[in-house]
Amino acid sequence: MTQTTTPEKTGARTDEAAALIGDARERIDALDDRIIGLIQERTAVSAVIQEARISSGGRRVNLAREMEVLGHYRDALGKPGTALAMTMLELCRGRI
């Protein structure tokens, strides 16, 4: 996706800054696409785990494991990491 790099579109005050912002936004868009793909992959792997757990008589959700995941994200990203992990866990739960 090519971004318009005019100062008006980027909020920059110069053409040089607008070009830099446009390039950085393209990189962010590409990173976002990769992140979305990874979350979709994680959701699919979570479904396999949930299916195996349920078919063996277990519960769909393992709260102890979710707490580990929350702690991992919090340790790596601080308090906002916990919110991010909660959202990711919500996306990955209950697709079965």
Side-chain angles (χ1 to χ4, degrees):
M1 172 188 323
T2 302
Q3 297 280 337
T4 303
T5 58
T6 63
E8 296 80 25
K9 294 285 185 181
T10 63
R13 301 221 181 223
T14 66
D15 289 338
E16 181 179 283
L20 181 93
I21 291 168
D23 290 345
R25 285 181 177 170
E26 285 184 23
R27 184 160 181 230
I28 285 173
D29 290 344
L31 289 167
D32 286 344
D33 287 343
R34 288 173 48 198
I35 291 166
I36 290 166
L38 289 169
I39 291 171
Q40 289 170 332
E41 183 179 349
R42 190 190 194 286
T43 300
V45 173
S46 290
V48 169
I49 292 168
Q50 289 173 45
E51 188 173 322
R53 191 181 302 118
I54 291 167
S55 68
S56 72
R59 299 181 62 170
R60 179 176 54 86
V61 175
N62 180 335
L63 295 178
R65 173 62 181 152
E66 288 196 358
M67 293 305 293
E68 288 176 18
V69 171
L70 291 170
H72 180 67
Y73 274 71
R74 182 192 60 246
D75 292 347
L77 302 172
K79 186 177 177 182
T82 302
L84 178 62
M86 286 296 295
T87 300
M88 187 216 28
L89 289 169
E90 182 179 344
L91 286 168
C92 292
R93 273 191 220 122
R95 299 289 175 138
I96 298 175

